[in-house]
């Protein structure tokens, strides 16, 4: 077993143990059984107390995480993520109160997050330096399931990279998907499933970064953005 396979195996074992702690009456699954269940509908194997109202599979045929997977992960850690994100925003706000022209800098910072679900390191370094932030505080490198043939496709609603599977391209947010951010691949074009318009991809380079998941959820999504509007 190579190092990556061993790491995945250990994560699956930990997930199985955590699932048992959350619901002791549930049958303990092996790492292999848990991984196999990721491709089965949640409602057939995950206890309702944990699943809530989420339905569907966690992994697509291409092994990319589905919207259900993203939402389950975000909701499972929602409180911790919310508090961490709020704390970071408050820290930036307090720094801006103590420096010259801080109000304008704070507005630029918030506007940048809203408008740049995808960016590169250079503008981040320029913006973040006076705010005592590192690039990694708010941004990360793109995941494999967010890139197709060297390009990523940003959600028209929230400007974050959409998830790419073998059958379609869609925003991980259910709100955005309902608003029309769901596309099909047709002859190397990405076509909106509702209005038939094509979407241009954004070239990905070694410098490309995207907003971290928690910051996306609590900053870009229309249903959550008001939480950080102070």
């Amino acid at each position: 077993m190579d190092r990556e396979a061993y790491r995945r195996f250990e994560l699956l074992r930990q997930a199985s143990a955590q699932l048992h702690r959350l619901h002791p009456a549930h049958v303990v699954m092996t790492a292999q059984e848990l991984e196999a269940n990721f491709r089965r509908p949640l409602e057939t194997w995950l206890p309702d107390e944990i699943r809530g109202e989420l339905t569907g599979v966690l992994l697509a045929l291409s092994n990319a995480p589905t919207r259900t997977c993203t939402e389950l992960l975000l909701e499972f850690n929602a409180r911790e993520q919310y508090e961490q994100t709020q704390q970071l925003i408050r820290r930036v706000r307090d720094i801006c109160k103590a420096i010259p022209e801080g109000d304008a800098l704070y507005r630029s910072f918030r506007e940048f997050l809203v408008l740049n679900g995808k960016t590169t390191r250079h503008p981040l370094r320029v913006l973040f330096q006076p705010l005592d932030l590192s690039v990694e505080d708010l941004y990360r490198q793109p995941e494999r399931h967010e890139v197709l043939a060297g390009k990523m496709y940003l959600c028209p609603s929230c400007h974050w990279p959409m998830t790419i599977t073998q059958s379609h391209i869609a925003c991980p947010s259910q709100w955005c998907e309902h608003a029309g951010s769901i596309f099909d691949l047709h002859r190397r074009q990405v076509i909106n499933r509702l209005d038939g318009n094509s979407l241009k991809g954004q070239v990905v380079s070694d410098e490309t970064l995207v907003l971290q998941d928690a910051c996306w959820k609590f900053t870009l999504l229309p249903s959550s953005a008001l939480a950080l509007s102070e």
Side-chain angles (χ1 to χ4, degrees), residues 81-113:
Q81 291 172 333
Y82 176 80
E83 292 174 350
Q84 290 176 349
T85 306
Q86 285 280 50
Q87 184 178 17
L88 185 145
I89 297 295
R90 284 195 295 266
R91 178 161 63 89
V92 171
R93 184 188 58 195
D94 291 343
I95 290 174
C96 289
K97 288 180 178 178
I99 60 178
E101 300 182 358
D103 288 344
L105 181 58
Y106 182 70
R107 286 195 297 271
S108 297
F109 165 72
R110 291 304 305 272
E111 183 179 4
F112 187 91
L113 296 186

Side-chain angles (χ1 to χ4, degrees), residues 142-153 161-164 202-204 208:
E143 302 284 356
R144 288 197 305 175
H145 61 268
E146 296 168 337
V147 180
L148 175 66
K151 294 182 179 180
M152 64 172 50
Y153 293 85
M162 293 188 288
T163 298
I164 300 167
Q202 306 289 315
V203 175
V204 175
T208 298

Side-chain angles (χ1 to χ4, degrees), residues 215-228:
C215 299
W216 160 73
K217 178 178 177 65
F218 297 119
T219 303
L220 297 188
L221 292 186
S223 59
S224 303
L226 292 178
L228 297 180

Side-chain angles (χ1 to χ4, degrees), residues 184-198:
D184 293 315
L185 293 171
H186 182 67
R187 296 181 179 178
R188 298 186 179 181
Q189 287 190 317
V190 176
I191 306 298
N192 187 280
R193 187 172 293 181
L194 298 181
D195 59 25
N197 291 329
S198 62

